[in-house]
Amino acid sequence: MQRIKKRLLNIALLFIVALLFANCAMGPAYQRVDNIPAGMGVVYIYRPAKFVGGGNSPELRVNGVPKINRFINGGYYPFFLKPGEVEFSIELGGRVMPITLYIEAGQTYYIRHGMPIRLTLVSPKIGEKEIADCRLLEGRQPALEEKMNKTETSAFTPEEILLLKRSGVPYEKILEMQKKGERMPMPVSKINPFDWNEDGKKDIITGSNSGKVYVYINKGTNQEPEFDTALEMLEIHNVKVEDGESAPYIVDWNEDGKKDILAGSAPGEVSIFINRGTNLHPIFEKELKLNEGDLDVGDYASPAMVDWDGNGLKDLVVGNKNGKVFVFLNIGYKHNPLFSSDEIKTGIKVDGRATPFIVDWNNDGKFDVVSGSSDGKVYVFINEGDSKTPKFSKPQTVQVNGKELKLPNSTSVIALDWDDDGKTDLLVSNKEKNQLGIYLLINTGTKEKPEFKELKPLKGKFRDDAAL
């Protein structure tokens, strides 16, 4: 009897080992490709060897085309791709989980297949460490990358086809261009974050107590602005911060020339809504929390972006309820930012509810910081350091006609050139008796020394729950 039990135990152990190896990659060990083919980038997709949930082996697709039959533990695969947007996705149980990257020539990217079951872009430092123990997976077909970079991935996206049609290109011509593998030229232009509908006039974008984002279109002129009823991004573009109060900041997140929406929230997290449409007809993806929600400044996050350390990557600047301003360095990529969860203390502090905005206040070629505050003032912090190691002076307060600006409640501030004269003007918001007031301060001084003589209230049907 003991002999039979022992034999059954051995069979069970062999069965378990067989199952384990059936879901583990057995190809050559990972080896980094340093000589990336000219004009291409490389993307490594991997699944850590110690992945929990190893029984799940989903199919991997690139731009909707199946490429890896079964993605298993400890496996990786490199893709050599031409510059541009590429969608990677896994399908499990009929559910498709995609991630979109913008590929740059000469760059290396790492995508982890992890828990929960999804694909996540990680920093080069993390990716290089986690992929070290992985082994090469078998592709669906030979010459995978070569095939991907032919006409299949040269085909236009639905958005590009729509743009071509709107430009008057006949459908027959679009089909002909696709067959030849031609690409529509996509020049990347600098966004104008203050002109929502691209009509040359300044518009206003606000957050709200409910997490919604509002756009107020300028129905007047820049000289005599007048703002109509709010366009509600929730109804039009499905933009809403789920965790309460929103603090939006318009930015070109992935350097594709389109306006995206970065938004802080009441619990202190920051989210991004990426525009997959155009500037005139935006189509926003669902809310994506930065660092999967681990990036947190306490309460009432108010974000902005700037290259803080001069390395060519946009970093994240965030104010909080306590009046402090933190920086989270971009440890990812130019077109696909990722941030350290360890904040840098800037030494910038106001009375409370810091709302930082980046501007070159004194026209010396270095970025400075202006911020609203819970005490009703607007503060200016001059950068006395350099482009790689900023250091800020003691705060100045904005003066209007020689007197310190002080409004009844918390202020938010945006620095911009409202009248297109090359000088820095300000928009300042304040709430009194639950009514939002937005004021325009035109710079009557110089580029080097801004001065303001009037606090001009803007005419508009601003929502009671709106916040600049």
Side-chain angles (χ1 to χ4, degrees):
M1 192 70 180
Q2 277 303 108
R3 190 177 296 174
I4 293 172
K5 286 183 178 179
K6 188 174 181 181
R7 187 175 178 186
L8 289 173
L9 181 61
N10 288 337
I11 291 171
L13 287 172
L14 285 170
F15 180 69
I16 292 169
V17 170
L19 278 177
L20 288 171
F21 276 95
N23 280 301
C24 290
M26 303 295 288
Y30 165 73
Q31 187 172 354
R32 178 185 168 92
V33 177
D34 291 318
N35 297 318
I36 301 171
M40 290 185 169
V42 60
V43 180
Y44 293 101
I45 300 187
Y46 68 96
R47 180 157 136 176
K50 296 180 180 179
F51 177 74
V52 178
N56 297 313
S57 303
E59 180 181 70
L60 175 71
R61 298 179 179 185
V62 182
N63 285 342
V65 180
K67 295 299 176 184
I68 302 292
N69 284 327
R70 295 174 65 245
F71 216 107
I72 56 181
N73 287 12
Y76 86 96
Y77 201 90
F79 292 92
F80 297 93
L81 302 166
K82 291 180 180 178
E85 283 192 354
V86 178
E87 181 188 86
F88 299 89
S89 62
I90 52 175
E91 182 175 355
L92 191 63
R95 183 185 173 197
V96 178
M97 290 150 279
I99 182 174
T100 302
L101 261 65
Y102 191 99
I103 308 299
E104 280 188 90
Q107 294 297 309
T108 301
Y109 306 87
Y110 294 88
I111 297 177
R112 179 207 298 137
H113 172 216
M115 288 293 287
I117 306 295
R118 64 180 171 192
L119 299 174
T120 304
L121 179 69
V122 300
S123 69
K125 184 178 179 180
I126 292 174
E128 191 72 28
K129 180 180 178 181
E130 292 184 340
I131 202 174
D133 296 329
C134 291
R135 292 181 173 274
L136 186 67
L137 291 168
E138 183 180 346
R140 180 118 178 187
Q141 49 192 307
L144 206 55
E145 305 83 9
E146 181 182 345
K147 186 172 179 60
M148 281 191 56
N149 285 289
K150 289 185 179 178
T151 54
E152 284 187 18
T153 53
S154 292
F156 299 124
T157 65
E159 291 83 4
E160 290 174 334
I161 291 173
L162 185 61
L163 284 172
L164 284 170
K165 286 181 178 178
R166 285 177 178 157
S167 301
V169 179
Y171 189 66
E172 293 76 12
K173 176 62 177 175
I174 297 173
L175 287 176
E176 182 184 343
M177 292 167 72
Q178 281 188 302
K179 287 177 182 178
K180 291 181 178 179
E182 295 179 19
R183 295 291 290 169
M184 181 179 68
M186 299 291 285
V188 176
S189 57
K190 190 175 181 181
I191 67 166
N192 183 346
F194 312 111
D195 182 4
W196 186 260
N197 60 348
E198 305 286 310
D199 66 351
K201 295 183 290 187
K202 305 294 192 300
D203 305 309
I204 291 177
I205 295 92
T206 74
S208 70
N209 298 335
S210 62
K212 297 176 183 178
V213 175
Y214 301 134
V215 174
Y216 299 87
I217 300 297
N218 186 354
K219 298 297 184 181
T221 64
N222 285 337
Q223 290 72 33
E224 293 295 331
E226 187 168 346
F227 298 93
D228 204 353
T229 305
L231 300 175
E232 193 170 314
M233 292 294 100
L234 172 62
E235 295 176 357
I236 302 172
H237 300 299
N238 200 33
V239 174
K240 183 179 185 291
V241 175
E242 292 300 329
D243 292 328
E245 186 169 321
S246 56
Y249 178 83
I250 307 303
V251 64
D252 184 359
W253 177 260
N254 51 3
E255 301 286 333
D256 63 353
K258 294 181 286 189
K259 292 189 279 280
D260 307 304
I261 300 177
L262 187 68
S265 70
E269 299 168 343
V270 181
S271 300
I272 184 68
F273 298 86
I274 296 176
N275 181 3
R276 297 300 181 192
T278 66
N279 281 325
L280 195 56
H281 302 283
I283 301 170
F284 291 100
E285 290 189 343
K286 66 179 182 179
E287 178 183 10
L288 178 66
K289 291 185 179 181
L290 301 191
N291 289 24
E292 301 178 357
D294 287 339
L295 194 153
D296 191 339
V297 296
D299 292 324
Y300 297 105
S302 180
M305 295 196 83
V306 69
D307 181 4
W308 188 268
D309 54 359
N311 66 349
L313 302 177
K314 296 186 296 291
D315 304 306
L316 187 67
V317 181
V318 191
N320 74 357
K321 180 182 179 179
N322 295 329
K324 295 180 180 180
V325 175
F326 303 98
V327 171
F328 298 86
L329 293 179
N330 185 350
I331 57 174
Y333 315 91
K334 183 177 181 180
H335 292 274
N336 306 281
L338 296 169
F339 299 96
S340 167
S341 293
D342 299 323
E343 74 274 7
I344 294 175
K345 295 177 181 178
T346 64
I348 296 173
K349 190 179 186 309
V350 297
D351 191 66
R353 292 296 294 265
T355 59
F357 201 91
I358 308 300
V359 64
D360 183 358
W361 183 260
N362 54 358
N363 199 40
D364 66 351
K366 297 180 292 187
F367 69 86
D368 308 301
V369 178
V370 296
S371 178
S373 173
S374 60
D375 61 5
K377 301 176 184 179
V378 175
Y379 292 88
V380 180
F381 298 83
I382 299 297
N383 185 355
E384 296 177 339
D386 55 39
S387 60
K388 293 188 177 182
T389 52
K391 182 181 178 181
F392 296 92
S393 66
K394 291 183 179 179
Q396 309 170 16
T397 56
V398 169
Q399 311 280 311
V400 178
N401 208 18
K403 295 181 180 179
E404 183 178 71
L405 173 65
K406 193 174 189 314
L407 295 172
N409 291 299
S410 293
T411 53
S412 293
V413 61
I414 292 175
L416 74 169
D417 182 4
W418 184 273
D419 53 3
D420 299 317
D421 64 353
K423 298 185 292 186
T424 297
D425 309 308
L426 296 177
L427 283 178
V428 179
S429 74
N430 182 260
K431 271 190 177 181
E432 189 172 6
K433 296 180 181 178
N434 289 325
Q435 180 61 48
L436 177 68
I438 300 180
Y439 304 91
L440 175 62
L441 287 78
I442 294 292
N443 184 358
T444 56
T446 64
K447 293 181 182 180
E448 293 74 23
K449 190 176 180 181
E451 293 180 1
F452 307 98
K453 291 184 178 179
E454 181 185 7
L455 185 70
K456 180 180 180 180
L458 295 181
K459 298 177 183 177
K461 300 174 183 177
F462 302 119
R463 297 279 187 93
D464 289 344
D465 69 334
L468 188 63

